[in-house]
């Protein structure tokens, strides 16, 4: 399943906005990234997508289910009505006895909203949404192992405040629970950790705990056949959903491995980082947020694809607002490539404020939002961060006051105003570190000019 296009009319700050999402004819990537200043409307686009998709998940769960309406506050201030139109391509679950010409792979539906007391300007049309949902419902009726697409929205409010060790709510592990709270705009990752703990309890009941294996590790030397049988028994009892989560985290964060719950001498969630076992609570906010994000995507894919040997190859749509949130620049740089490598068949729609996110992945489709207008950007692959900051994000690469003073210094040197240049250099030397690159360059240029004038 992929979103091909979305059209927003009088939504947020957009009067009439049409957006094609990757992959497109000219861009084979499965990642679309929106950049822009705060208030440019990046989040509005993601919320509009989530609103439209909520009707599909609702009608997949129940035939006449209702998704989220367009909030009245999201209607453009100068308008009385708004609409969101979405176009989906989905060729999955095509009936075997249907020819390609008979099968409709494209679906389009519209959600409309009018202010109270106003005559509606747009009308909702959900026929295709119902048709697509029914296609999956019919497939599930024929085969309960049918794969379903992930549909998930991770808003900027996602946080990891604590690691709950007491499970207050009994969770189910049914396939359709993969859509539980998947498009909630206030979601956090508490549920992910509760799910992991409860799921691992079930895994341990049917297998051999890590603590027991550690006590029996001496059998590896004294009785290798028994040790091999124990390992085979333990491997067969591994929970496939937990395995998918652990694999995704290891692929995405190579320094992290073996997420698990320690029960003795005290209860806590542990992970191995660079070979050292740590309490997950000891990790940085960025590490916890990224681990929980990747883990939650993997968890949902595993739940929705019960028959896939590798659930991480499942498909679907994932929306992530401010994907660079809390992440070190080195992680921002590899983020898109790792999303593609870990979840190769998912379509991602992201927003970011980081130049590194869009300059270090070759084929991402990048849009800039400015004053309600959309502009597709040329590939930023290979550009340095300073160039992206200047050309794409309209942001100076350094403090504007210092930048202006450095430019004045270089102008004075170029114009051979050596006394003025010497004074400007002395003032900047007091403010900047001695190893400041531009300051060192200016010192060399000034010295060359002084030598040249001394010869003359």
């Amino acid at each position: 399943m992929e979103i091909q296009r979305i059209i927003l009319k009088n939504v947020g700050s957009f009067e009439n906005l049409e957006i094609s999402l990757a992959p497109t004819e000219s861009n084979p990537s499965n990642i679309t990234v929106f950049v822009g200043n705060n208030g440019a409307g990046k989040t509005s686009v993601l919320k509009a997508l989530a609103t439209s998709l909520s009707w599909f998940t609702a009608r997949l769960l129940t035939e006449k289910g209702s998704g989220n309406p367009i909030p009245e506050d999201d209607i453009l201030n100068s308008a009385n009505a708004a609409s969101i139109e979405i176009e989906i391509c989905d060729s999955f679950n095509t009936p075997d006895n249907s020819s390609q010409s008979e099968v409709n792979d494209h679906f389009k539906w519209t959600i409309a909203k009018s202010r109270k007391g106003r005559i509606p300007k747009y009308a909702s049309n959900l026929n295709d949404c119902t048709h697509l949902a029914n296609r999956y419902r019919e497939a599930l009726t024929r085969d309960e192992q049918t794969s379903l697409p992930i549909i998930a929205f991770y808003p900027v409010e996602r946080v990891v405040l604590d690691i709950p060790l007491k499970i207050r709510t009994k969770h189910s592990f049914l396939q359709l629970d993969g859509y539980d709270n998947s498009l909630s705009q206030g979601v956090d990752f508490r549920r992910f950790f509760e799910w992991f703990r409860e799921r691992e309890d079930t895994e341990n009941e049917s297998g051999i705990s890590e603590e027991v294996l550690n006590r029996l590790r001496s059998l590896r030397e004294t009785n290798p056949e028994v040790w091999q049988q124990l390992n085979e028994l333990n491997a067969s009892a591994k929970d496939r959903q937990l395995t998918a989560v652990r694999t995704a985290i290891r692929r995405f964060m190579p320094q992290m491995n073996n997420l698990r719950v320690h029960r003795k001498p005290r209860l806590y969630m542990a992970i191995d980082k660079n070979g050292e076992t740590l309490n997950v609570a000891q990790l940085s906010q960025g590490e916890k947020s990224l681990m929980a994000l990747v883990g939650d995507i993997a968890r949902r894919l595993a739940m929705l694809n019960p028959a896939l040997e590798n659930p991480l190859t499942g498909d679907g749509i994932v929306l992530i607002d401010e994907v660079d949130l809390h992440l070190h620049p080195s992680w921002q740089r590899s983020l898109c490539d790792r999303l593609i490598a870990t979840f190769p068949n998912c379509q991602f729609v992201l927003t970011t404020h980081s130049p590194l996110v869009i300059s270090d992945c070759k084929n991402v489709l990048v849009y800039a939002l400015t004053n309600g207008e959309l502009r597709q950007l040329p590939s930023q692959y290979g550009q340095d961060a300073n160039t992206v900051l200047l050309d794409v994000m309209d942001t100076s690469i350094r403090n504007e006051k210092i930048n202006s003073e450095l430019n004045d210094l270089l102008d004075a040197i170029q114009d051979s105003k050596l006394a003025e240049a010497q004074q400007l250099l002395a003032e900047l030397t007091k403010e900047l570190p001695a190893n400041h690159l531009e300051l060192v360059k200016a010192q060399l240029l000034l010295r060359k000019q002084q030598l040249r004038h001394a010869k003359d």
Side-chain angles (χ1 to χ4, degrees):
M1 175 182 286
E2 296 171 353
I3 303 170
Q4 291 191 311
R5 186 171 65 153
I6 184 171
I7 301 174
L8 307 182
K9 294 182 178 179
N10 299 329
V11 176
S13 59
F14 306 115
E15 185 174 350
N16 192 346
L17 183 68
E18 180 177 330
I19 311 171
S20 296
L21 301 181
T24 63
E25 290 184 4
S26 59
N27 192 310
S29 169
N30 59 351
I31 295 184
T32 303
V33 184
F34 292 92
V35 299
N37 291 332
N38 290 329
K42 303 185 300 298
T43 300
S44 295
V45 173
L46 293 195
K47 286 184 176 180
L49 290 168
T51 297
S52 292
L53 293 171
S54 71
W55 289 83
F56 166 73
T57 57
R59 298 205 168 184
L60 177 57
L61 296 175
T62 58
E63 185 175 4
K64 296 183 179 179
S66 295
N68 299 323
I70 301 173
E72 188 168 323
D73 289 343
D74 286 356
I75 300 175
L76 184 70
N77 287 337
S78 59
N80 291 319
S83 73
I84 304 169
E85 181 180 302
I86 192 170
E87 293 184 15
I88 297 286
C89 177
D90 190 320
S91 57
F92 197 66
N93 290 327
T94 300
D96 295 334
N97 59 354
S98 300
S99 67
Q100 189 62 34
S101 60
E102 295 174 333
V103 177
N104 178 22
D105 294 340
H106 293 79
F107 304 84
K108 178 170 66 176
W109 62 86
T110 302
I111 306 298
K113 176 72 175 183
S114 299
R115 296 189 189 276
K116 292 180 181 178
R118 308 296 196 275
I119 296 175
K121 182 178 180 180
Y122 309 109
S124 296
N125 185 336
L126 294 159
N127 291 338
D128 274 11
C129 178
T130 303
H131 181 199
L132 179 58
N134 283 342
R135 176 186 286 189
Y136 279 97
R137 288 159 58 84
E138 290 168 0
L140 279 173
T141 302
R142 294 192 303 268
D143 180 5
E144 63 181 12
Q145 296 293 299
T146 294
S147 290
L148 300 176
I150 182 175
I151 308 287
F153 173 38
Y154 298 95
V156 71
E157 294 86 1
R158 62 186 184 275
V159 291
V160 181
L161 296 177
D162 58 358
I163 310 299
L165 295 174
K166 292 184 179 179
I167 299 174
R168 299 180 176 87
T169 304
K170 187 71 174 176
H171 302 305
S172 65
F173 305 141
L174 301 177
Q175 182 179 11
L176 290 173
D177 290 327
Y179 294 122
D180 188 30
N181 291 328
S182 67
L183 292 170
S184 171
Q185 295 182 4
V187 69
D188 64 29
F189 292 110
R190 179 182 182 91
R191 187 174 183 83
F192 166 71
F193 290 112
E194 289 185 340
W195 168 86
F196 190 98
R197 162 79 191 287
E198 188 168 332
R199 193 81 191 182
E200 194 181 61
D201 284 344
T202 304
E203 180 184 61
N204 289 337
E205 288 175 2
S206 57
I208 304 171
S209 71
E210 183 181 354
E211 296 170 2
V212 172
L213 274 180
N214 285 334
R215 289 200 295 268
L216 297 175
R217 198 168 295 275
S218 60
L219 290 173
R220 183 167 51 185
E221 304 295 335
T222 61
N223 199 330
E225 291 184 2
V226 172
W227 175 253
Q228 182 179 351
Q229 290 175 359
L230 285 173
N231 275 290
E232 289 175 355
L233 175 64
N234 198 46
S236 66
K238 287 292 184 184
D239 184 281
R240 61 184 305 277
Q241 293 184 19
L242 290 182
T243 298
V245 168
R246 291 167 180 145
T247 301
I249 291 173
R250 185 173 65 253
R251 287 182 184 175
F252 213 94
M253 308 168 72
Q255 75 278 20
M256 303 285 189
N257 190 27
N258 195 20
L259 182 65
R260 60 201 183 279
V261 174
H262 264 300
R263 289 161 176 80
K264 293 181 180 179
R266 59 187 179 85
L267 194 65
Y268 69 94
M269 179 163 276
I271 194 165
D272 295 338
K273 179 181 178 182
N274 296 323
E276 179 184 0
T277 298
L278 296 176
N279 187 330
V280 168
Q282 295 176 288
L283 301 179
S284 70
Q285 183 72 8
E287 289 173 321
K288 287 188 288 187
S289 293
L290 187 58
M291 182 181 69
L293 171 65
V294 173
D296 195 71
I297 296 173
R299 172 180 78 96
R300 294 183 188 278
L301 282 170
M303 295 173 74
L304 293 167
N305 296 277
L308 281 186
E309 182 177 349
N310 180 7
L312 301 182
T313 61
D315 78 311
I317 300 159
V318 179
L319 318 172
I320 309 176
D321 200 7
E322 293 194 20
V323 69
D324 54 299
L325 191 68
H326 300 305
L327 299 186
H328 186 275
S330 63
W331 289 5
Q332 297 174 22
R333 189 181 294 277
S334 61
L335 192 60
C336 289
D337 282 331
R338 293 190 182 188
L339 284 173
I340 293 171
T342 308
F343 310 110
N345 296 320
C346 287
Q347 181 188 38
F348 289 93
V349 185
L350 318 173
T351 73
T352 187
H353 290 290
S354 169
L356 299 174
V357 170
I358 62 174
S359 64
D360 273 67
C361 188
K362 191 171 185 179
N363 292 317
V364 294
L365 175 59
V366 183
Y367 289 113
L369 289 169
T370 308
N371 299 323
E373 300 293 330
L374 181 78
R375 175 169 57 99
Q376 182 177 338
L377 300 176
S379 174
Q380 300 299 306
Y381 181 63
Q383 294 279 27
D384 64 271
N386 286 343
T387 299
V388 179
L389 280 173
L390 285 170
D391 296 346
V392 175
M393 299 183 172
D394 194 26
T395 301
S396 175
I397 62 175
R398 64 173 61 89
N399 177 277
E400 291 187 8
K401 174 178 175 293
I402 296 298
N403 197 52
S404 176
E405 291 176 355
L406 282 169
N407 287 335
D408 289 344
L409 171 57
L410 294 174
D411 288 343
I413 295 172
Q414 184 69 30
D415 296 339
S416 298
K417 298 177 181 178
L418 303 187
E420 179 183 340
Q422 191 67 50
Q423 181 180 351
L424 290 170
L425 180 61
E427 293 173 357
L428 281 168
T429 301
K430 293 178 182 178
E431 292 191 61
L432 301 178
N435 62 349
H436 190 283
L437 182 59
E438 296 302 319
L439 195 62
V440 172
K441 288 180 181 178
Q443 290 171 338
L444 293 173
L445 288 173
L446 179 57
R447 181 58 179 161
K448 287 181 179 179
Q449 283 285 44
Q450 289 171 333
L451 292 173
R452 186 178 295 113
H453 278 265
K455 289 179 181 180
D456 295 340

